Every structure is written in C-alpha cells, then in structure tokens.
Amino acid sequence: MSNNSDKSAPPLLTAHGLTKTHGRTPALRGASVELGAGEILAVTGASGSGKSTLLHCLAGIVRPDEGAVTYGHTRLDQLPEKRLSELRRTDFGVVFQFGQLIPELTALDNVALPLLLAGASRRDAHTRAGEWLERFGVLGQEELRPGEMSGGQAQRVSLARALATGPKIVFADEPTGALDSLAGEQVMSALVHTARESGTAVLLITHDAQVAAYADREVQLHDGAVVPLGVTA
Amino acid sequence: MTPMTPVSPARSKKTVGAMGTMGSDLRIAWLLTRGSHRREWWRVALTAIGAALATAFTLGATVLAAVSGRVYRVPLAAGLLDEPGTRSGVLLGLTLLLVPVLGFLGQCARIGAVHRDRRLAALRLAGATAWQVRRIAALESGLACLVGAAVATALFVPFLLGLTERLPAAVWAGIALVTLAVPLLGALVSALALRRVVASPLGWVRRVRPAARRGPGIAFLVATPALLLAGLLMAPDAFGGYAAAPVTVLVVVILTGMGAVGLTGVTSRITGRLLAARTANPAVLIAAERLRDAPWTAARTHAAVLLVTVVGTGFMGVRHALLADLNRDGPTAADMTYYTTGINLTGAAVLIALAITLSGLAVGAAESLATRRQGLAAQTAAGVPYTVLGRALLLETALPLAPAVLLAGAGGMTIGVWYGVVVGGTDWTVPYAAFPVPAAVYVLCLLAAATSLPLLRRTLRPAELRYV
C-alpha cells in the first residue's frame, strides 16, 4: 500500500493525554495519537472503547477534559468555537455513518454548500461540486436528494462534500458502517484513492478489520486508552 | 420464576372478547404513556392543554346554545349574555376560537412523532396487529384529551354555578356530552390520522402510499360553491346586505383563509424553486430547498395564523365602524358600556386566538428542530455556522408567510370596509387601525419561530452526534 506521508516531517495532528467523560462514564483515559500529513490512520476498537469520542476531540467537535490536541502549531483544545467551526469548514472534512447530508438539498447542493459557505460564487461552487461528484462516480445523480439515493451513493456524496473544500484531514467515523460489503469497498476505495491523489490525511474510525486494512497504520483503543503496538487488548 | 400457563386458542377466543381486548389495549396505552420519552411527555401535556381549551370553549358554546331563546340575568360582561341576540354572537366567537385550538392540537400531534413511530414498530414486532397498533395510539391520544377535558370541566362547572344556579337539564346534558366527546374525538382523529400508516415489524413505520404533495385544491373547489350556496339559501333576498352579515363574514373569512393557505403553498413552492435555483447564500439555499421539498407543510402550519389575520384585521375594521356609528347616534353611557364591552370581549377573543396560534407555531418550529437534531448536529460538526442554520430556520417561516399574510390582511380589510360602508353609508371612514394588524401578526410569527433558536443552539451541540 502506498503512503504519501513523510516520516521525517512533524505530525500534522497530535493528541496527547486526552481524557473525556460523558456524564459519569469515562470515554477517553489519557489517549495519545499522531497523524502525519497524507497519512491514512485507522483507529479500531470494540464498541464503547472511545473511538468516536477520540475523533470528536481530534476534529475539534468536542473539547477534551484534559490533554492537548495540536494541529500544526495550533492548540485546538484552546480555540474558541467560532474559530473551530471555521477550521472544520476549511481544513477538515468530516464523514459520519449517516446524517451529514441535508435531506432537502440535492446531491449537487449538498456538495456545493461548504463551498458557498467559504464564499464561492454559485456557478463556481456548482462546477466544483459537479467535478467532485464525478470523481466519486455519482455524476448523473446531482438532482437526487439523499432519500432518493442508495446508501452507497449517499456516502459517496458525503465524501465528495467532505473533500470539496480541499481539506488537510478527513475524519471518517464508521463511513461504511451502514453499507453492505460491496458498497463499503467502493466507498473505501474512492476515499483512499482520492486522499492519496490529493495528499489528504485520513483518520478512519472503524471496528471492521477489512476497512482498517486500507490504512497505512492502525492504532487500537481499549477502554479509552491507546493500546501499544504488539499488545493484544 | 413463575411457571407460564398455556392458553389454548379456543379458550383465549372465548374469554378475550372485544371488551377484554380494549381493556388490554388501554392498559398498554397507559403503560406506554407512563414510560414514554421526555419529548412525548411534552406531547401528552400540550395535547391535554389543547383539549382543555377545546373543552372550555365548547362548554361555553354548548351552555349558550342550550339556553338559547331564554332570558337570563348573567352578572358578567355588562349584561352582554342577558339577551339571546348578543348571546348568539358570543356563541359564534367561542366556536371560531376552536379553529386555532385545533391548529394547536395538530402541531402537538407532531411532537415526538419519530419516537412514536419507532415505538409502534416495536409493538408490531411484539406481535400486535396493524389495527391494534392504531387503536393503542388512538387510546394514548384519548387519555391525554380525557385529562384535559376533565380538568376543564372541573373548573367550568363551579364557575357556571357561581353565575346562576337555575339551569335547564339540557345544559347539564350538554356539559356531560362535551366532556365525553372531546376525548372520544381526540382518539378518533388520532386513529384517522394513522389510517394510512402501517407499522412495520421490521423497524420503521411507513405510509401505505407515498405522501401526496397536494394542496387544499379539491377542498377549496368544493367549499367555495357550497358556502356561496349556503349564503344564498339562508338569505336569498339580502345576500351581501346587512341581514346576511354573519353569513357574508363567515364566507369571506373561510374563503380568504383557504385562499391564503393555498397561496402559502403555491408561493412556498415557487419561492423555493426560484431561490434555490439562484441563491449563493447558504441560509437561503437551505430554507428554499426545504420550502420546495414540502410546500404544504408550511401552508398547513400557517393556516391558523392566516385565519387569525383575516379575523383580526376584519375585527379592527368592524370595531372602527361600530364605534363611529355609536358616536354618531350619541347613545347613553350605559348603552356605550354595553357595546364597548362586547367589542372589547371580541378583541380579547381575537388576542386569545392569536396567542394560541403563535403557541402552535412555536411548538411546530421546536418539533421540526427536535426531529432534525442529529442531522443539524452533523452540519455543525462539518463546520456549518450556527448563524446560517438559525437564519435558515427563520427564513422558512418568513418567506412563505409574507404574501399569505398580505392576502389575509386584504381579506380582513375587505370585511372591515364592507361593514363600514353598510353601517356608515356615505359617512364611512377608512379604518386606519386595521392596517398594522397583518404586519404585527407577521412580526409576532417571526418572534414565535425565533423562540426555537435557543433550542437550535442546544440541538447543535456535538454531543447530539452520540444519539441516533
């Protein structure tokens, strides 16, 4: 598997000693992880091990209770919400299992939305959105709404939307969790191919070993902590 | 562990009759209501409040109808309820107040619909038939309405006894009938609303046919000639004149209200289509696509608002003409109090109707957000700013409502001007006080929609991503 990441370069995103508690339930207990530029990293673990919470902390969606998240030279855990929101719009792309497409918007408008938010003109946003839909093999479905698409089509539209702004990192939380194996493979191939082509780093949350196999590297979470390599959880 | 006793099908058929089935459905309905989700408790509470309001207004109207023709001394509203003639006007007002209450109840029915649908599917999985599921859902609504109706009656009867003790038997029969009829109707309406919904045992509830995106076209086409015919039959010689005033007003109110609803649907679709095809503003794009996707949802939500606008604007015109007429004739102070009390009471009724309608609108906006909360949280996680989603929420109300409120205001103004001309003749003056009514209603509607903005902020918390 090819890897665009430069091992000598400093990591693009670093998390150190993250802890996070939901109510009384600890989700993360001192988790630390690094993501290099252009690297595809899979975070695996059992259900409830804290994978999604780790992704939320790394993407600046939630703040950790303790620990630091550094993107380049910026401490994400110390940024105000407005700046975090801007960062998620420009530098990050997020893909969830489902729910990230606006049901009332067409596929084209869904992909164009982050571009419009970034200040692109309508024509430019639609042209670029069309190009991204073509890259993910869903051209011809521009006028369909999410409810009219198959799960695989909707997820490829979601990937197109996540990558349309040219992010540095794509955070994907169980992107194939709601798909059958064939659609899952198609989605993963499209994501990995496009990420490698554009040099985008991907942080992939999955509990599926086949999906994790697409990654350059894998870290495992167990009870909110990263399990060292070579140790079986 | 308690040993299970097998029941043969023959025995169960014999012993579990219709009443037994109803009893078990009632028990299940009660268990479900008791253990329901927090948001469903909101639906139960608001439905009970709506049922209480409906019961109170219907009880008032029923009592007035039961004593029609009789002369009573009622120590209330400057003697307005003493005369059979003015009493019938109050009766009409109370009946009209049911319109916004029904609109409010309609909005309440939507609260927690997603949770309810999942629950119904789970019931099917547990072995309930589709009909049984519909019956249990209907009983749930009936129970909420029963609570509301019982509370309203418990408050109304002592109030009535405080006014007068000698009432005909028909009044008490009417009170009993209304108290029982409101929960029964609530259950029936719920069953009818679910008539085309089949609870699937495999996890979801779907309609038998895809929801038709039709407006009130057929109803409008049927109602228009029917109302005109009713007007002509009731007052063939003086249709349009003073003698036919109640019918004319009712016809104009209903036609304008329905026209405004139709206009809302049509303008929603056109506005949505036009803006979605042109705008580069994300908030406008989201609002426009939602309008284009479901134009009649906005129309139905705004139906009661538009009716209140027609009535409110018309009332201000009628009030202006009445007061001008009274001042021209120079009545005694006692007469003046009698008339102004009636006018003020009508004004209060319009304000109550407006308040109920705005509550319904706020409930509808909040429920719409609650239903979409996970998707909205995902938008925020993807970097869509709160301000964009907040603006889109307000635009969903503002865009379709503007032309419809304008038309509703014009209809109300027609009533006011017509009444002024009939009463005042050549002395007729322009009812300027009626002009700001549509604008005021519009602004209040936007404020009602804005009450859900704090909920939007809570909905957009990324923690919502954890709950599917």
Side-chain angles (χ1 to χ4, degrees):
Chain A
M1 206 172 283
S2 64
N3 184 353
N4 288 355
S5 63
D6 180 359
K7 299 247 177 348
S8 61
L12 183 62
L13 186 74
T14 311
H16 182 72
L18 298 185
T19 65
K20 180 73 188 174
T21 305
H22 295 301
R24 289 180 183 175
T25 314
L28 292 177
R29 305 174 200 235
S32 300
V33 71
E34 286 183 355
L35 178 70
E39 183 185 20
I40 299 178
L41 172 68
V43 179
T44 59
S47 182
S49 59
K51 303 187 297 290
S52 293
T53 305
L54 178 65
L55 179 140
H56 292 165
C57 288
L58 294 176
I61 296 169
V62 296
R63 277 176 216 283
D65 296 333
E66 283 172 32
V69 181
T70 312
Y71 168 62
H73 299 290
T74 312
R75 281 281 296 268
L76 294 191
D77 53 295
Q78 292 175 347
L79 281 186
E81 177 50 39
K82 196 177 173 186
R83 179 79 186 93
L84 278 173
S85 178
E86 194 184 316
L87 206 61
R88 290 198 299 267
R89 217 160 49 232
T90 54
D91 288 31
F92 299 164
V94 285
V95 182
F96 300 107
Q97 196 170 327
F98 44 75
Q100 67 270 43
L101 294 178
I102 297 182
E104 293 83 9
L105 296 191
T106 61
L108 190 70
D109 280 336
N110 261 299
V111 180
L113 186 69
L115 300 167
L116 293 172
L117 285 167
S121 71
R122 185 182 168 79
R123 179 178 292 184
D124 185 35
H126 273 181
T127 308
R128 284 163 60 191
E131 287 167 7
W132 278 103
L133 286 175
E134 189 176 9
R135 273 181 150 179
F136 281 97
V138 273
L139 198 66
Q141 322 287 324
E142 302 97 318
E143 290 307 310
L144 292 186
R145 293 198 167 91
E148 298 163 331
M149 300 172 203
S150 69
Q153 282 174 334
Q155 204 58 318
R156 277 184 278 167
V157 174
S158 302
L159 289 174
R161 176 180 154 157
L163 284 154
T165 49
K168 302 273 192 305
I169 306 171
V170 167
F171 296 93
D173 190 357
E174 302 276 11
T176 62
L179 305 178
D180 60 64
S181 56
L182 181 64
E185 272 177 38
Q186 288 172 342
V187 164
M188 280 311 301
S189 299
L191 172 61
V192 169
H193 175 74
T194 314
R196 299 233 187 272
E197 206 176 63
S198 56
T200 308
V202 178
L203 190 124
L204 181 65
I205 299 290
T206 183
H207 62 268
D208 184 339
Q210 280 186 315
V211 173
Y214 283 91
D216 303 321
R217 189 161 63 89
E218 178 183 339
V219 295
Q220 223 178 10
L221 270 187
H222 180 68
D223 282 346
V226 174
V227 179
L229 282 173
V231 176
T232 309
Chain B
M1 197 180 282
T2 316
M4 288 174 72
T5 313
V7 178
S8 71
R11 184 169 173 261
S12 83
K13 252 186 203 170
K14 205 185 289 179
T15 51
V16 183
M19 284 310 289
T21 313
M22 183 63 87
S24 73
D25 287 355
L26 202 58
R27 268 195 300 278
I28 294 171
W30 168 242
L31 280 173
L32 291 172
T33 306
R34 212 176 53 177
S36 52
H37 186 267
R38 179 167 49 100
R39 233 173 25 243
E40 292 193 80
W41 269 110
W42 272 107
R43 181 180 70 220
V44 172
L46 290 171
T47 303
I49 290 171
L53 287 171
T55 308
F57 294 143
T58 316
L59 282 175
T62 306
V63 170
L64 289 178
V67 299
S68 74
R70 297 165 191 249
V71 176
Y72 273 93
R73 302 295 299 168
V74 184
L76 203 71
L80 197 72
L81 297 171
D82 291 354
E83 300 296 326
T86 45
R87 225 183 273 150
S88 61
V90 178
L91 196 153
L92 179 70
L94 286 169
T95 311
L96 280 176
L97 275 174
L98 285 173
V99 175
V101 173
L102 292 177
F104 177 76
L105 281 169
Q107 291 297 338
C108 293
R110 292 175 56 204
I111 300 174
V114 175
H115 284 272
R116 186 199 59 191
D117 290 356
R118 283 184 188 152
R119 198 152 41 82
L120 297 186
L123 274 174
R124 288 280 278 131
L125 197 62
T129 63
W131 165 238
Q132 211 172 0
V133 163
R134 280 196 288 268
R135 202 166 50 197
I136 290 168
L139 283 170
E140 270 188 279
S141 305
L143 280 174
C145 290
L146 182 65
V147 172
V151 170
T153 308
L155 294 172
F156 184 82
V157 170
F159 170 74
L160 190 66
L161 289 173
L163 293 177
T164 176
E165 285 177 3
R166 293 179 61 216
L167 285 166
V171 169
W172 298 111
I175 289 172
L177 192 71
V178 169
T179 312
L180 291 174
V182 167
L184 280 176
L185 278 173
L188 193 69
V189 168
S190 178
L192 282 173
L194 289 168
R195 73 191 183 284
R196 278 166 50 196
V197 174
V198 173
S200 158
L202 289 175
W204 205 243
V205 169
R206 61 193 70 181
R207 286 185 180 279
V208 174
R209 282 183 304 219
R213 291 176 182 178
R214 281 180 305 161
I218 294 170
F220 187 71
L221 288 174
V222 172
T224 308
L227 285 167
L228 287 173
L229 191 67
L232 285 167
L233 287 173
M234 287 172 78
D237 302 325
F239 189 62
Y242 189 80
V247 179
T248 310
V249 169
L250 202 63
V251 167
V252 174
V253 164
I254 292 173
L255 285 184
T256 316
M258 289 179 74
V261 170
L263 186 77
T264 312
V266 173
T267 51
S268 292
R269 182 179 287 163
I270 294 172
T271 312
R273 196 182 297 156
L274 288 175
L275 287 176
R278 284 166 181 77
T279 186
N281 182 309
V284 177
L285 179 69
I286 294 169
E289 287 285 15
R290 272 184 67 79
L291 288 178
R292 189 169 73 153
D293 192 44
W296 297 109
T297 305
R300 278 192 294 272
T301 309
H302 299 152
V305 171
L306 301 176
L307 209 55
V308 169
T309 310
V310 179
V311 174
T313 315
F315 164 73
M316 290 304 284
V318 170
R319 177 182 179 274
H320 173 84
L322 265 176
L323 290 178
D325 193 42
L326 286 172
N327 286 328
R328 261 195 305 276
D329 294 348
T332 63
D335 282 347
M336 197 67 178
T337 311
Y338 174 79
Y339 286 114
T340 50
T341 305
I343 292 168
N344 292 341
L345 275 177
T346 312
V350 173
L351 286 176
I352 289 169
L354 181 63
I356 296 168
T357 303
L358 292 172
S359 307
L361 196 68
V363 167
E367 173 51 22
S368 159
L369 283 181
T371 308
R372 293 183 279 156
R373 74 186 205 287
Q374 205 204 0
L376 289 167
Q379 298 308 314
T380 317
V384 178
Y386 163 79
T387 46
V388 169
L389 296 170
R391 253 182 250 140
L393 178 80
L394 291 180
L395 283 169
E396 280 169 35
T397 301
L399 290 175
L401 204 56
V405 162
L406 207 63
L407 180 75
M413 196 57 106
T414 308
I415 295 171
V417 169
W418 166 81
Y419 189 82
V421 171
V422 168
V423 172
T426 49
D427 293 335
W428 168 76
T429 53
V430 180
Y432 288 108
F435 281 106
V437 173
V441 171
Y442 186 70
V443 170
L444 287 171
C445 284
L446 292 186
L447 289 174
T451 56
S452 57
L453 286 176
L455 178 66
L456 176 69
R457 196 174 277 282
R458 279 207 300 277
T459 302
L460 298 184
R461 282 179 191 160
E464 290 290 341
L465 287 169
R466 292 174 53 78
Y467 306 106
V468 179

